[in-house]
Amino acid sequence: TVDSMFCELCNLIAEMYTLPPNNIVRINSMEIPVSTVVDIYKKLSSEHLEFVSGNFSKQKHLIKFKKTYLQTALYNSFFEYEAHYTNLVSHDLHRYYTN
């Protein structure tokens, strides 16, 4: 359910806060300091969590390492959220004006 997904995402965010700031985590196959990831996670809103949850539910392939996948998705959501919706609006406007 949506509520359980939000709880899982919040738990992943909270877990990151418990790690020593100078530890390293892998995000997008890159080694990033926990402090950097926490800084990005602090900027996330409920819309970002909805974005991650929605994208996760659309996946058709088996995700073996869900925790790693979701940590990366949360991190990336900060950078992708605005561009995603800007692209959708541009797409819809293009279809509207070309039909």
Side-chain angles (χ1 to χ4, degrees), residues 91-99:
H91 176 265
D92 289 346
L93 287 175
H94 176 74
R95 279 189 353 183
Y96 176 77
Y97 286 111
T98 58
N99 287 332

Side-chain angles (χ1 to χ4, degrees), residues 11-86:
N11 286 335
L12 288 172
I13 293 169
E15 181 183 17
M16 196 63 63
Y17 278 77
T18 66
L19 299 174
N22 58 340
N23 272 21
I24 300 295
V25 292
R26 292 185 72 69
I27 303 284
N28 292 331
S29 300
M30 298 181 330
E31 294 183 346
I32 301 176
V34 167
S35 59
T36 302
V37 176
V38 167
D39 287 344
I40 294 299
Y41 281 7
K42 284 179 183 178
K43 297 174 184 176
L44 300 180
S45 66
S46 61
E47 288 83 9
H48 292 97
L49 299 183
E50 289 174 16
F51 180 69
V52 170
S53 177
N55 285 341
F56 184 79
S57 67
K58 292 176 189 172
Q59 292 302 315
K60 302 297 183 216
H61 65 282
L62 178 66
I63 299 171
K64 289 184 180 181
F65 303 102
K66 289 175 185 66
K67 181 178 178 179
T68 305
Y69 175 90
L70 291 172
Q71 285 174 332
T72 299
L74 284 166
Y75 185 85
N76 288 341
S77 71
F78 176 74
F79 303 101
E80 295 174 357
Y81 178 78
E82 291 294 326
H84 172 76
Y85 287 102
T86 299

